[in-house]
Amino acid sequence: MNMSKLFSIGFNRSVSVKKQDGVLNVTISELGSEVKSLTFPARRWVQLTNLVEQIDEAVNQLLVKQNVDLKLPIGGKFYVSVTTGFSCVDLREFYYHPTKGVSPTKRGIALRLNEWIALKDVMQKLFVKYPILASTTPC
């Protein structure tokens, strides 16, 4: 069975949920861009939801012009970051470069702060619509 649901979080940006063969995936994407998107298996999605409080704290520091350098793992090669100079919550895949260390890839999406707020609302809706998320072990 293939089920899909779409939630808007901003101009040309949305969250889609697809459940295929019992596997739930959540994708945040920008319409018309294959690069500006990120798909979360249920475990990674739950890990992100568990970090909301820390992310919100960093966003609040950003808003009051404090220095912010938050980078948290959300499973595998994926991180969420909030950094001074960028008014966004960045969800991105990283890779290891032999001379530069861990570096970001183009694969990911930087959410504007209003989109981050909308995403948190969608997180709550998904826990209601997909109760399996409540029992999913995070990454």
Side-chain angles (χ1 to χ4, degrees):
M1 179 178 183
N2 180 8
M3 296 172 30
S4 183
K5 178 73 176 162
L6 191 70
F7 300 88
S8 176
I9 59 168
F11 181 72
N12 282 340
R13 296 215 168 161
S14 63
V15 176
S16 61
V17 180
K18 292 183 181 169
K19 188 174 184 180
Q20 289 184 302
D21 302 323
V23 177
L24 187 72
N25 289 304
V26 179
T27 301
I28 303 171
S29 60
E30 180 172 292
L31 183 67
S33 175
E34 291 186 24
V35 176
K36 293 182 182 180
S37 73
L38 205 54
T39 297
F40 298 78
R43 292 183 64 187
R44 186 170 297 132
W45 180 257
V46 171
Q47 178 66 19
L48 177 64
T49 64
N50 287 342
L51 297 173
V52 165
E53 194 173 302
Q54 289 175 276
I55 298 165
D56 278 346
E57 185 178 315
V59 167
N60 288 336
Q61 291 173 346
L62 194 68
L63 291 172
V64 295
K65 309 292 186 207
Q66 290 182 1
N67 190 32
V68 181
D69 187 18
L70 177 77
K71 185 162 109 179
L72 300 171
I74 53 176
K77 305 177 286 182
F78 298 89
Y79 290 82
V80 57
S81 62
V82 180
T83 310
T84 299
F86 303 94
S87 294
C88 65
V89 174
D90 192 39
L91 303 164
R92 190 156 308 279
E93 181 179 8
F94 280 70
Y95 71 99
Y96 179 76
H97 187 276
T99 57
K100 297 178 185 176
V102 178
S103 299
T105 68
K106 292 181 181 182
R107 187 170 156 220
I109 190 161
L111 300 176
R112 298 168 191 97
L113 298 183
N114 62 319
E115 293 168 343
W116 169 246
I117 292 167
L119 179 64
K120 291 188 303 178
D121 183 50
V122 169
M123 287 176 178
Q124 298 305 313
K125 291 176 182 175
L126 294 185
F127 276 110
V128 172
K129 183 161 181 63
Y130 302 97
I132 187 129
L133 288 173
S135 62
T136 299
T137 305
C139 288

